[in-house]
Amino acid sequence: MSRFAVTSPLCGRLGMTVVRDLGDQVETAFKAETSAWQVDPDTVERLKQASIDRVTKSFAIDLETASEQAKTEAELRKLRTMFVAYGRMCVEATNDPIFSRLITAPAGFDPQTAATAFADSMLEDGGLASWQTPAIRARGDMMLSAGTCRKRIGKDRSDALAAEFGRSEDARTREYYLKSFDIGLNDTEMNFTLAQCNRLIARNRIEIAKAVTK
């Protein structure tokens, strides 16, 4: 019961419907189930809380570790695999006598697809989502540079770079490019010189060309 209760928020993030008062309903069901046990109520409560704490800590550690290590393609696969495992647990919850009334999956729910989409939502700002190819990441870096270096290279050149490298027929990709540009605009720590900006933009062009030819 604890594992379903702790992972229920993630079930919602994966696209399932979770009742708002899940915690209260689970607590009511738990008390009804344990009322007939020949065990001291305080002991039952202590064991319940220990179980919840254990699952919560394990979940938090798994998520934090996988997210921090998600820098390579292999590590990204590990992150998605972890979410797939939790997605399957959510599916299992929909067949549980108690949780089946509290967590429901949409028709055709697929843990793999849902887990990939959720992992992508966490990783796309850094260019590490599954749909972000090397070419997309390289153009995103250029858009970031166009925003970061705007005060050095000027409005016209910055806008020209954004117009050249911010185009895409895919709305999701365009949004990533524009978000990268905005991140650069709002960066108050980077204070490149004009020479540094010119080198950065030149390097971006090389990386874009390399990505396209791969």
Side-chain angles (χ1 to χ4, degrees), residues 187-200:
D187 192 328
T188 58
E189 296 183 2
M190 291 296 184
N191 192 27
F192 295 139
T193 65
L194 177 59
Q196 289 174 321
C197 283
N198 286 334
R199 286 195 295 269
L200 179 60

Side-chain angles (χ1 to χ4, degrees), residues 25-214:
Q25 292 200 41
V26 170
E27 182 67 18
T28 298
F30 179 77
K31 288 181 178 179
E33 181 180 325
T34 59
S35 61
W37 294 2
Q38 300 301 311
V39 182
D40 178 63
D42 290 339
T43 300
V44 172
E45 180 63 24
R46 178 174 54 80
L47 293 174
K48 181 201 74 175
Q49 193 57 53
S51 177
I52 292 175
D53 291 345
R54 187 181 308 111
V55 175
T56 300
K57 184 173 294 185
S58 296
F59 177 74
I61 290 174
D62 290 347
L63 179 58
E64 180 180 0
T65 301
S67 299
E68 288 179 349
Q69 294 179 349
K71 299 295 185 293
T72 68
E73 188 60 36
E75 290 163 350
L76 291 175
R77 284 196 292 270
K78 289 181 182 178
L79 179 63
R80 296 187 189 99
T81 298
M82 183 191 74
F83 285 133
V84 169
Y86 281 116
R88 288 174 178 154
M89 188 184 301
C90 292
V91 172
E92 187 180 344
T94 65
N95 296 312
D96 179 84
I98 293 175
F99 283 86
S100 60
R101 304 190 302 270
L102 309 177
I103 300 175
T104 55
F109 178 82
D110 176 54
Q112 179 75 46
T113 301
T116 298
F118 182 62
D120 283 351
S121 71
M122 296 176 60
L123 301 169
E124 62 183 21
D125 283 356
L128 296 173
S130 62
W131 53 271
Q132 289 169 319
T133 63
I136 289 175
R137 288 196 293 271
R139 291 171 73 96
D141 289 343
M142 179 64 90
M143 292 292 286
L144 180 67
S145 298
T148 302
C149 291
R150 188 179 182 88
K151 62 184 177 181
R152 298 301 182 201
I153 64 177
K155 172 184 181 301
D156 291 345
R157 190 176 173 197
S158 175
D159 286 347
L161 288 171
E164 180 180 358
F165 296 102
R167 292 179 287 104
S168 174
E169 295 181 359
D170 180 64
R172 179 175 57 181
T173 303
R174 284 198 308 275
E175 183 179 358
Y176 167 62
Y177 291 156
L178 292 174
K179 187 179 294 185
S180 297
F181 184 77
D182 289 342
I183 290 173
L185 282 179
N186 295 323
D187 192 328
T188 58
E189 296 183 2
M190 291 296 184
N191 192 27
F192 295 139
T193 65
L194 177 59
Q196 289 174 321
C197 283
N198 286 334
R199 286 195 295 269
L200 179 60
I201 291 169
R203 186 163 63 247
N204 289 153
R205 287 189 182 277
I206 292 172
E207 292 302 318
I208 290 171
K210 286 167 56 178
V212 171
T213 57
K214 284 185 178 179

